[in-house]
Amino acid sequence: MQISKPVLGVETSCDETGVALLRWDPEKPGRGLLSHALFSQIALHAEYGGVVPELASRDHVRKLLPLVRQALKDAGMTPADLGGVAYTAGPGLVGALLVGASAARAMAWALGVPAIGVHHMEGHLLAPLLEDDPPEPPFVALLVSGGHSMLVEVKAIGEYRILGDTLDDAAGEAFDKTAKMMGLPYPGGPALAKLAEQGEPGKFRFSRPMVDRPGLDFSFSGLKTQVLLAWQASDKSDQTRADIARGFEEAIVDTLAIKCRRALAATGTKRLVIAGGVGANKRLREQLAESGAADGFRVYFPRLQFCTDNGAMIALAGAIRLASGQHQDDTVQVFPRWSLETLPPAA
């Protein structure tokens, strides 16, 4: 079903304010994005070495409506042209979520159009559908970010089964904390990945957590401790820092790749989707692409700008659900914790 009018997507789950306008047509995937705008709060939180929830919420208040106006202008549209509003309802920081939900609900009510709360991780999971050659279910999705590391079996849109989840630190969180331990600037994950490019392969080898036992869950806290001990015992030179970063990144990437192959074997599928902020990691992309070519499965990535939080993925997920007839009442409700498995099918 084609949506005749564009959907506005609003993302405010953490420290990025994202908006987008999208007209979804399943016959023309990847071509319905009309405009998108994003403001990152990295500079705001850098002083504190991490996201401060109250500051994040206040900045969403300041930036959201100007970004909506910008996205409408870029698309050559007015609010009257909208056919629906989608917003991130969770999971995320409760204050940040409430900013987006309240604004989105108010806009939808004023315009007399339907609104729908979107699961943040479903947005990430569906982000590759913004590309010209999108994956079709069934497939396995690896969702890796600062707050999540999970493998999901996707039988259809809205029909999800979590195959494995993180037991402690998510992969992105482990990147950030390890970078901070070694004195790298905020945000630590991208800084560590960049530094790892200068490291010597094999100079430091760390364990691949939980790959020596059955199952698809993740645990990266022990790896983080190994890196800390290696760093404390080292000469702390610039090259040693790069070598340790390389060894850490290789351990994370190998672990993710091993679990992905297991998940594909367990489900019998040949399509793998990688999404979330860590999905932008160059080494992860290269290794999974090589594994796919060798083992006969195909890997789908969203473009780099849609790996991190953004409004386009929320507009997409919301448009698909609105097209299936789903919408919600005027109640402003958010879910800081929210399981993918509780979502209804988007039939």
Side-chain angles (χ1 to χ4, degrees):
M1 174 181 177
Q2 183 175 355
I3 300 176
S4 59
K5 288 189 173 184
V7 170
L8 171 68
V10 174
E11 157 60 21
T12 63
S13 66
C14 190
D15 62 337
E16 271 125 0
T17 313
V19 300
L21 290 172
L22 179 140
R23 182 183 285 113
W24 173 243
D25 182 353
E27 300 301 320
K28 298 178 180 179
R31 301 170 191 166
L33 184 62
L34 304 174
S35 67
H36 65 95
L38 182 73
F39 180 82
S40 175
Q41 300 176 3
I42 286 176
L44 174 66
H45 300 289
E47 177 182 353
Y48 307 97
V51 176
V52 181
E54 180 61 25
L55 295 181
S57 301
R58 292 179 183 180
D59 211 49
H60 287 311
V61 172
R62 286 189 288 265
K63 299 299 191 302
L64 180 54
L65 292 183
L67 285 177
V68 170
R69 288 192 286 268
Q70 178 184 331
L72 286 167
K73 181 180 178 181
D74 291 345
M77 295 182 172
T78 70
D81 295 315
L82 296 177
V85 180
Y87 61 93
T88 303
L93 302 175
V94 63
L97 291 169
L98 282 169
V99 173
S102 300
R105 286 288 181 188
M107 286 187 281
W109 180 83
L111 296 170
V113 298
I116 185 138
V118 171
H119 194 294
H120 180 75
M121 298 311 293
E122 182 174 53
H124 277 303
L125 186 152
L126 297 179
L129 273 65
L130 292 164
E131 308 305 321
D132 288 335
D133 186 18
E136 293 184 3
F139 58 79
V140 167
L142 172 67
L143 304 180
V144 277
S145 64
H148 301 273
S149 291
M150 65 174 69
L151 283 159
V152 182
E153 181 183 17
V154 180
K155 298 178 181 178
I157 296 177
E159 295 184 35
Y160 308 127
R161 180 168 69 99
I162 296 176
L163 303 171
D165 205 344
T166 182
L167 303 180
D168 40 58
D169 289 349
E173 184 180 9
F175 263 100
D176 290 339
K177 289 181 176 179
T178 300
K180 188 173 183 178
M181 286 188 317
M182 294 196 298
L184 297 178
Y186 177 86
L192 190 148
K194 184 176 181 180
L195 179 64
E197 295 179 4
Q198 305 170 27
E200 182 180 339
K203 188 72 173 181
F204 286 85
R205 178 174 175 81
F206 302 109
S207 65
R208 278 53 175 162
M210 298 183 69
V211 299
D212 58 348
R213 66 188 74 178
L216 296 169
D217 288 331
F218 300 98
S219 172
F220 295 113
S221 62
L223 173 60
K224 183 182 62 181
T225 302
Q226 288 182 48
V227 174
L228 173 62
L229 294 175
W231 173 244
Q232 290 176 337
S234 75
D235 60 10
K236 296 184 173 60
S237 67
D238 290 343
Q239 185 58 49
T240 297
R241 181 187 276 109
D243 293 340
I244 291 176
R246 177 66 178 256
F248 169 81
E249 184 183 56
E250 289 176 343
I252 292 277
V253 169
D254 284 352
T255 301
L256 294 175
I258 290 168
K259 293 298 180 80
C260 283
R261 291 194 294 269
R262 285 185 185 177
L264 290 169
T267 58
T269 59
K270 293 293 184 180
R271 288 183 286 271
L272 175 66
V273 162
I274 310 298
V278 181
N281 181 273
K282 180 179 178 181
R283 197 173 307 282
L284 177 64
R285 285 177 169 245
E286 290 175 349
Q287 183 158 326
L288 286 173
E290 291 172 2
S291 294
D295 297 337
F297 62 87
R298 184 168 177 189
V299 188
Y300 297 83
F301 300 96
R303 70 195 83 167
L304 291 178
Q305 63 185 320
F306 295 147
C307 286
T308 54
D309 296 349
N310 63 87
M313 69 183 193
I314 302 304
L316 171 65
I320 291 173
R321 290 194 172 274
L322 288 170
S324 71
Q326 298 180 25
H327 61 87
Q328 292 156 328
D329 60 27
D330 295 334
T331 304
V332 177
Q333 189 173 15
V334 298
F335 307 93
R337 295 182 180 274
W338 189 7
S339 172
L340 268 173
E341 293 180 322
T342 65
L343 295 181

Short mmCIF file of all heavy atoms in Angstrom, two decimals, residues 210-262:
data_model
loop_
_atom_site.label_atom_id
_atom_site.label_comp_id
_atom_site.label_asym_id
_atom_site.label_seq_id
_atom_site.Cartn_x
_atom_site.Cartn_y
_atom_site.Cartn_z
N MET A 210 32.61 -15.58 25.08
CA MET A 210 31.47 -16.48 24.97
C MET A 210 31.36 -17.20 23.62
O MET A 210 30.31 -17.72 23.29
CB MET A 210 30.15 -15.74 25.27
CG MET A 210 30.08 -15.19 26.69
SD MET A 210 28.51 -14.39 27.09
CE MET A 210 27.40 -15.81 27.10
N VAL A 211 32.45 -17.24 22.85
CA VAL A 211 32.39 -17.98 21.59
C VAL A 211 32.73 -19.46 21.79
O VAL A 211 32.54 -20.27 20.88
CB VAL A 211 33.32 -17.37 20.52
CG1 VAL A 211 32.93 -15.93 20.23
CG2 VAL A 211 34.79 -17.46 20.94
N ASP A 212 33.23 -19.80 22.99
CA ASP A 212 33.61 -21.18 23.26
C ASP A 212 32.48 -21.95 23.93
O ASP A 212 32.69 -23.03 24.46
CB ASP A 212 34.86 -21.23 24.16
CG ASP A 212 34.65 -20.49 25.48
OD1 ASP A 212 33.64 -19.76 25.61
OD2 ASP A 212 35.51 -20.64 26.37
N ARG A 213 31.29 -21.40 23.91
CA ARG A 213 30.12 -22.06 24.49
C ARG A 213 28.93 -21.85 23.57
O ARG A 213 28.92 -20.93 22.75
CB ARG A 213 29.82 -21.50 25.89
CG ARG A 213 29.38 -20.04 25.88
CD ARG A 213 29.28 -19.44 27.27
NE ARG A 213 30.61 -19.19 27.83
CZ ARG A 213 30.81 -18.63 29.01
NH1 ARG A 213 29.76 -18.30 29.77
NH2 ARG A 213 32.03 -18.42 29.46
N PRO A 214 27.93 -22.72 23.64
CA PRO A 214 26.77 -22.56 22.76
C PRO A 214 25.97 -21.31 23.12
O PRO A 214 26.10 -20.76 24.22
CB PRO A 214 25.96 -23.84 23.00
CG PRO A 214 26.38 -24.30 24.36
CD PRO A 214 27.82 -23.92 24.50
N GLY A 215 25.14 -20.89 22.20
CA GLY A 215 24.28 -19.73 22.46
C GLY A 215 24.73 -18.51 21.68
O GLY A 215 25.83 -18.47 21.11
N LEU A 216 23.87 -17.49 21.67
CA LEU A 216 24.10 -16.31 20.86
C LEU A 216 24.11 -15.02 21.68
O LEU A 216 24.06 -13.93 21.11
CB LEU A 216 23.01 -16.22 19.77
CG LEU A 216 23.04 -17.36 18.75
CD1 LEU A 216 21.78 -17.35 17.88
CD2 LEU A 216 24.29 -17.25 17.86
N ASP A 217 24.23 -15.14 22.99
CA ASP A 217 24.31 -13.94 23.84
C ASP A 217 25.72 -13.35 23.78
O ASP A 217 26.69 -14.02 23.40
CB ASP A 217 23.95 -14.27 25.29
CG ASP A 217 22.47 -14.54 25.48
OD1 ASP A 217 21.67 -13.96 24.71
OD2 ASP A 217 22.10 -15.31 26.39
N PHE A 218 25.81 -12.08 24.18
CA PHE A 218 27.09 -11.36 24.19
C PHE A 218 27.45 -10.92 25.60
O PHE A 218 26.57 -10.67 26.43
CB PHE A 218 26.99 -10.11 23.30
CG PHE A 218 26.66 -10.39 21.87
CD1 PHE A 218 25.35 -10.26 21.41
CD2 PHE A 218 27.64 -10.76 20.97
CE1 PHE A 218 25.03 -10.50 20.08
CE2 PHE A 218 27.34 -10.99 19.63
CZ PHE A 218 26.03 -10.87 19.19
N SER A 219 28.73 -10.78 25.84
CA SER A 219 29.23 -10.23 27.10
C SER A 219 30.60 -9.62 26.83
O SER A 219 31.53 -10.31 26.44
CB SER A 219 29.36 -11.33 28.17
OG SER A 219 30.02 -10.82 29.32
N PHE A 220 30.70 -8.31 27.04
CA PHE A 220 31.95 -7.62 26.73
C PHE A 220 32.62 -6.98 27.94
O PHE A 220 33.66 -6.33 27.80
CB PHE A 220 31.71 -6.55 25.66
CG PHE A 220 31.28 -7.11 24.33
CD1 PHE A 220 30.01 -6.87 23.83
CD2 PHE A 220 32.15 -7.89 23.58
CE1 PHE A 220 29.62 -7.39 22.60
CE2 PHE A 220 31.78 -8.42 22.35
CZ PHE A 220 30.50 -8.17 21.86
N SER A 221 32.06 -7.16 29.13
CA SER A 221 32.67 -6.52 30.31
C SER A 221 34.03 -7.15 30.63
O SER A 221 34.96 -6.45 31.04
CB SER A 221 31.73 -6.64 31.51
OG SER A 221 31.51 -7.99 31.86
N GLY A 222 34.14 -8.48 30.46
CA GLY A 222 35.42 -9.13 30.73
C GLY A 222 36.50 -8.69 29.76
O GLY A 222 37.67 -8.53 30.14
N LEU A 223 36.14 -8.51 28.51
CA LEU A 223 37.08 -8.03 27.51
C LEU A 223 37.59 -6.64 27.89
O LEU A 223 38.78 -6.34 27.77
CB LEU A 223 36.41 -8.00 26.14
CG LEU A 223 37.20 -7.37 24.99
CD1 LEU A 223 38.51 -8.11 24.76
CD2 LEU A 223 36.35 -7.35 23.71
N LYS A 224 36.68 -5.81 28.34
CA LYS A 224 37.05 -4.46 28.77
C LYS A 224 38.08 -4.52 29.90
O LYS A 224 39.05 -3.75 29.92
CB LYS A 224 35.79 -3.72 29.21
CG LYS A 224 35.99 -2.28 29.61
CD LYS A 224 34.66 -1.69 30.08
CE LYS A 224 34.15 -2.42 31.31
NZ LYS A 224 32.86 -1.90 31.78
N THR A 225 37.91 -5.46 30.83
CA THR A 225 38.85 -5.62 31.94
C THR A 225 40.21 -6.08 31.44
O THR A 225 41.26 -5.61 31.90
CB THR A 225 38.30 -6.61 32.97
OG1 THR A 225 37.03 -6.14 33.45
CG2 THR A 225 39.26 -6.77 34.13
N GLN A 226 40.23 -7.01 30.48
CA GLN A 226 41.50 -7.46 29.90
C GLN A 226 42.27 -6.29 29.29
O GLN A 226 43.49 -6.17 29.46
CB GLN A 226 41.23 -8.50 28.81
CG GLN A 226 40.76 -9.85 29.30
CD GLN A 226 40.57 -10.81 28.13
OE1 GLN A 226 41.43 -10.94 27.27
NE2 GLN A 226 39.43 -11.47 28.10
N VAL A 227 41.56 -5.44 28.58
CA VAL A 227 42.21 -4.29 27.94
C VAL A 227 42.75 -3.33 29.00
O VAL A 227 43.86 -2.81 28.87
CB VAL A 227 41.22 -3.56 27.01
CG1 VAL A 227 41.85 -2.28 26.46
CG2 VAL A 227 40.81 -4.48 25.87
N LEU A 228 41.99 -3.12 30.05
CA LEU A 228 42.44 -2.24 31.13
C LEU A 228 43.74 -2.75 31.74
O LEU A 228 44.69 -1.98 31.94
CB LEU A 228 41.36 -2.13 32.21
CG LEU A 228 41.76 -1.37 33.48
CD1 LEU A 228 42.09 0.08 33.17
CD2 LEU A 228 40.63 -1.46 34.52
N LEU A 229 43.80 -4.05 32.02
CA LEU A 229 45.01 -4.63 32.62
C LEU A 229 46.20 -4.52 31.66
O LEU A 229 47.33 -4.23 32.08
CB LEU A 229 44.75 -6.09 32.99
CG LEU A 229 43.72 -6.31 34.11
CD1 LEU A 229 43.45 -7.80 34.30
CD2 LEU A 229 44.19 -5.69 35.42
N ALA A 230 45.95 -4.76 30.36
CA ALA A 230 47.03 -4.65 29.38
C ALA A 230 47.53 -3.20 29.27
O ALA A 230 48.74 -2.96 29.19
CB ALA A 230 46.54 -5.13 28.02
N TRP A 231 46.62 -2.27 29.32
CA TRP A 231 46.99 -0.86 29.23
C TRP A 231 47.78 -0.41 30.47
O TRP A 231 48.80 0.27 30.35
CB TRP A 231 45.74 -0.01 29.07
CG TRP A 231 45.96 1.47 29.13
CD1 TRP A 231 45.49 2.35 30.05
CD2 TRP A 231 46.73 2.26 28.21
NE1 TRP A 231 45.90 3.63 29.79
CE2 TRP A 231 46.67 3.61 28.65
CE3 TRP A 231 47.47 1.98 27.07
CZ2 TRP A 231 47.32 4.64 27.99
CZ3 TRP A 231 48.12 3.01 26.40
CH2 TRP A 231 48.03 4.32 26.86
N GLN A 232 47.34 -0.85 31.64
CA GLN A 232 48.03 -0.47 32.88
C GLN A 232 49.44 -1.05 32.94
O GLN A 232 50.35 -0.43 33.51
CB GLN A 232 47.22 -0.92 34.09
CG GLN A 232 45.94 -0.14 34.30
CD GLN A 232 45.10 -0.67 35.45
OE1 GLN A 232 45.22 -1.85 35.83
NE2 GLN A 232 44.24 0.17 36.01
N ALA A 233 49.64 -2.22 32.36
CA ALA A 233 50.95 -2.88 32.40
C ALA A 233 51.86 -2.46 31.24
O ALA A 233 53.02 -2.89 31.17
CB ALA A 233 50.77 -4.40 32.37
N SER A 234 51.36 -1.63 30.34
CA SER A 234 52.13 -1.26 29.14
C SER A 234 52.99 -0.02 29.38
O SER A 234 52.92 0.62 30.44
CB SER A 234 51.16 -1.00 27.98
OG SER A 234 50.52 0.26 28.16
N ASP A 235 53.75 0.35 28.36
CA ASP A 235 54.56 1.56 28.46
C ASP A 235 53.76 2.83 28.14
O ASP A 235 54.28 3.94 28.22
CB ASP A 235 55.77 1.47 27.52
CG ASP A 235 55.36 1.29 26.05
OD1 ASP A 235 54.16 1.43 25.73
OD2 ASP A 235 56.26 1.02 25.23
N LYS A 236 52.49 2.63 27.73
CA LYS A 236 51.56 3.73 27.46
C LYS A 236 52.04 4.68 26.35
O LYS A 236 51.68 5.85 26.32
CB LYS A 236 51.24 4.51 28.74
CG LYS A 236 50.52 3.70 29.80
CD LYS A 236 50.13 4.54 31.00
CE LYS A 236 49.27 3.76 31.97
NZ LYS A 236 49.92 2.56 32.50
N SER A 237 52.84 4.17 25.46
CA SER A 237 53.27 4.97 24.32
C SER A 237 52.13 5.08 23.31
O SER A 237 51.14 4.33 23.36
CB SER A 237 54.48 4.32 23.65
OG SER A 237 54.12 3.08 23.05
N ASP A 238 52.27 5.99 22.37
CA ASP A 238 51.23 6.17 21.36
C ASP A 238 51.05 4.91 20.51
O ASP A 238 49.92 4.53 20.19
CB ASP A 238 51.58 7.35 20.45
CG ASP A 238 51.46 8.70 21.16
OD1 ASP A 238 50.81 8.74 22.24
OD2 ASP A 238 52.01 9.69 20.65
N GLN A 239 52.16 4.26 20.16
CA GLN A 239 52.04 3.06 19.34
C GLN A 239 51.40 1.91 20.13
O GLN A 239 50.59 1.16 19.58
CB GLN A 239 53.42 2.62 18.83
CG GLN A 239 53.35 1.44 17.86
CD GLN A 239 52.49 1.73 16.65
OE1 GLN A 239 52.62 2.76 16.01
NE2 GLN A 239 51.58 0.81 16.33
N THR A 240 51.75 1.81 21.41
CA THR A 240 51.13 0.77 22.22
C THR A 240 49.63 1.01 22.36
O THR A 240 48.83 0.07 22.31
CB THR A 240 51.77 0.72 23.63
OG1 THR A 240 53.15 0.36 23.49
CG2 THR A 240 51.07 -0.28 24.52
N ARG A 241 49.25 2.27 22.52
CA ARG A 241 47.82 2.59 22.59
C ARG A 241 47.12 2.15 21.31
O ARG A 241 46.03 1.56 21.35
CB ARG A 241 47.63 4.09 22.82
CG ARG A 241 46.17 4.49 22.93
CD ARG A 241 45.98 6.00 23.00
NE ARG A 241 46.14 6.50 24.36
CZ ARG A 241 47.17 7.23 24.76
NH1 ARG A 241 48.14 7.53 23.90
NH2 ARG A 241 47.24 7.65 26.01
N ALA A 242 47.74 2.40 20.17
CA ALA A 242 47.16 1.99 18.89
C ALA A 242 47.11 0.47 18.76
O ALA A 242 46.13 -0.10 18.26
CB ALA A 242 47.96 2.60 17.73
N ASP A 243 48.15 -0.22 19.21
CA ASP A 243 48.19 -1.68 19.14
C ASP A 243 47.10 -2.30 20.01
O ASP A 243 46.45 -3.28 19.61
CB ASP A 243 49.56 -2.20 19.57
CG ASP A 243 50.67 -1.82 18.60
OD1 ASP A 243 50.37 -1.49 17.44
OD2 ASP A 243 51.85 -1.84 19.03
N ILE A 244 46.91 -1.76 21.21
CA ILE A 244 45.86 -2.27 22.10
C ILE A 244 44.49 -2.00 21.50
O ILE A 244 43.60 -2.86 21.53
CB ILE A 244 45.99 -1.65 23.51
CG1 ILE A 244 47.25 -2.17 24.20
CG2 ILE A 244 44.76 -1.95 24.35
CD1 ILE A 244 47.51 -1.54 25.56
N ALA A 245 44.31 -0.81 20.92
CA ALA A 245 43.03 -0.49 20.28
C ALA A 245 42.75 -1.47 19.15
O ALA A 245 41.61 -1.93 18.97
CB ALA A 245 43.07 0.94 19.75
N ARG A 246 43.79 -1.81 18.38
CA ARG A 246 43.63 -2.76 17.28
C ARG A 246 43.22 -4.13 17.82
O ARG A 246 42.29 -4.78 17.29
CB ARG A 246 44.93 -2.86 16.48
CG ARG A 246 44.92 -3.88 15.33
CD ARG A 246 43.97 -3.48 14.23
NE ARG A 246 44.01 -4.41 13.11
CZ ARG A 246 44.62 -4.16 11.95
NH1 ARG A 246 45.25 -3.01 11.77
NH2 ARG A 246 44.59 -5.05 10.98
N GLY A 247 43.90 -4.59 18.87
CA GLY A 247 43.56 -5.89 19.44
C GLY A 247 42.15 -5.92 20.00
O GLY A 247 41.43 -6.93 19.85
N PHE A 248 41.74 -4.84 20.64
CA PHE A 248 40.38 -4.76 21.19
C PHE A 248 39.35 -4.80 20.06
O PHE A 248 38.37 -5.55 20.12
CB PHE A 248 40.23 -3.49 22.01
CG PHE A 248 38.81 -3.17 22.39
CD1 PHE A 248 38.21 -3.80 23.48
CD2 PHE A 248 38.07 -2.25 21.67
CE1 PHE A 248 36.90 -3.53 23.82
CE2 PHE A 248 36.76 -1.97 22.01
CZ PHE A 248 36.17 -2.60 23.09
N GLU A 249 39.55 -3.97 19.05
CA GLU A 249 38.58 -3.93 17.94
C GLU A 249 38.49 -5.29 17.25
O GLU A 249 37.39 -5.75 16.91
CB GLU A 249 38.99 -2.86 16.93
CG GLU A 249 37.98 -2.70 15.81
CD GLU A 249 38.43 -1.69 14.77
OE1 GLU A 249 39.54 -1.87 14.22
OE2 GLU A 249 37.67 -0.74 14.50
N GLU A 250 39.63 -5.95 17.04
CA GLU A 250 39.61 -7.27 16.40
C GLU A 250 38.81 -8.27 17.23
O GLU A 250 38.08 -9.11 16.67
CB GLU A 250 41.04 -7.77 16.20
CG GLU A 250 41.80 -7.03 15.10
CD GLU A 250 43.24 -7.48 14.98
OE1 GLU A 250 43.74 -8.11 15.95
OE2 GLU A 250 43.87 -7.20 13.94
N ALA A 251 38.94 -8.20 18.57
CA ALA A 251 38.20 -9.11 19.44
C ALA A 251 36.69 -8.88 19.32
O ALA A 251 35.90 -9.83 19.25
CB ALA A 251 38.66 -8.95 20.88
N ILE A 252 36.28 -7.60 19.32
CA ILE A 252 34.86 -7.28 19.19
C ILE A 252 34.33 -7.75 17.84
O ILE A 252 33.28 -8.42 17.76
CB ILE A 252 34.63 -5.75 19.34
CG1 ILE A 252 34.92 -5.29 20.77
CG2 ILE A 252 33.21 -5.40 18.92
CD1 ILE A 252 33.80 -5.47 21.74
N VAL A 253 35.03 -7.40 16.78
CA VAL A 253 34.56 -7.74 15.44
C VAL A 253 34.51 -9.25 15.23
O VAL A 253 33.53 -9.78 14.68
CB VAL A 253 35.46 -7.07 14.38
CG1 VAL A 253 35.17 -7.62 12.98
CG2 VAL A 253 35.25 -5.56 14.40
N ASP A 254 35.55 -9.96 15.66
CA ASP A 254 35.54 -11.42 15.52
C ASP A 254 34.37 -12.04 16.27
O ASP A 254 33.69 -12.94 15.76
CB ASP A 254 36.85 -12.02 16.06
CG ASP A 254 38.02 -11.83 15.12
OD1 ASP A 254 37.79 -11.39 13.97
OD2 ASP A 254 39.15 -12.14 15.52
N THR A 255 34.11 -11.55 17.48
CA THR A 255 33.00 -12.08 18.28
C THR A 255 31.67 -11.86 17.59
O THR A 255 30.83 -12.78 17.49
CB THR A 255 32.99 -11.43 19.67
OG1 THR A 255 34.23 -11.69 20.33
CG2 THR A 255 31.86 -11.97 20.52
N LEU A 256 31.45 -10.65 17.09
CA LEU A 256 30.20 -10.35 16.40
C LEU A 256 30.05 -11.21 15.15
O LEU A 256 28.96 -11.74 14.87
CB LEU A 256 30.15 -8.87 16.03
CG LEU A 256 30.09 -7.88 17.20
CD1 LEU A 256 30.16 -6.44 16.69
CD2 LEU A 256 28.82 -8.07 18.04
N ALA A 257 31.14 -11.37 14.39
CA ALA A 257 31.07 -12.15 13.16
C ALA A 257 30.78 -13.63 13.44
O ALA A 257 29.98 -14.26 12.74
CB ALA A 257 32.38 -12.01 12.39
N ILE A 258 31.41 -14.17 14.47
CA ILE A 258 31.18 -15.58 14.82
C ILE A 258 29.72 -15.80 15.21
O ILE A 258 29.06 -16.75 14.77
CB ILE A 258 32.12 -16.00 15.97
CG1 ILE A 258 33.56 -16.09 15.48
CG2 ILE A 258 31.68 -17.35 16.57
CD1 ILE A 258 34.60 -16.21 16.58
N LYS A 259 29.17 -14.91 16.02
CA LYS A 259 27.78 -15.06 16.46
C LYS A 259 26.82 -14.86 15.29
O LYS A 259 25.76 -15.52 15.23
CB LYS A 259 27.48 -14.06 17.58
CG LYS A 259 28.24 -14.32 18.89
CD LYS A 259 27.87 -15.68 19.49
CE LYS A 259 28.62 -15.97 20.78
NZ LYS A 259 28.05 -15.33 21.96
N CYS A 260 27.16 -13.98 14.35
CA CYS A 260 26.30 -13.80 13.18
C CYS A 260 26.22 -15.08 12.35
O CYS A 260 25.13 -15.50 11.92
CB CYS A 260 26.82 -12.65 12.31
SG CYS A 260 26.45 -11.00 12.94
N ARG A 261 27.37 -15.71 12.14
CA ARG A 261 27.37 -16.95 11.36
C ARG A 261 26.57 -18.03 12.07
O ARG A 261 25.85 -18.81 11.43
CB ARG A 261 28.81 -17.40 11.11
CG ARG A 261 29.57 -16.49 10.14
CD ARG A 261 30.86 -17.13 9.64
NE ARG A 261 31.82 -17.32 10.71
CZ ARG A 261 32.74 -16.43 11.04
NH1 ARG A 261 32.82 -15.27 10.40
NH2 ARG A 261 33.62 -16.67 12.02
N ARG A 262 26.68 -18.08 13.39
CA ARG A 262 25.89 -19.06 14.15
C ARG A 262 24.40 -18.80 14.01
O ARG A 262 23.60 -19.74 13.87
CB ARG A 262 26.28 -19.01 15.63
CG ARG A 262 27.61 -19.63 15.97
CD ARG A 262 27.81 -19.61 17.47
NE ARG A 262 29.13 -20.10 17.85
CZ ARG A 262 29.57 -20.12 19.10
NH1 ARG A 262 28.80 -19.67 20.09
NH2 ARG A 262 30.79 -20.56 19.38
#
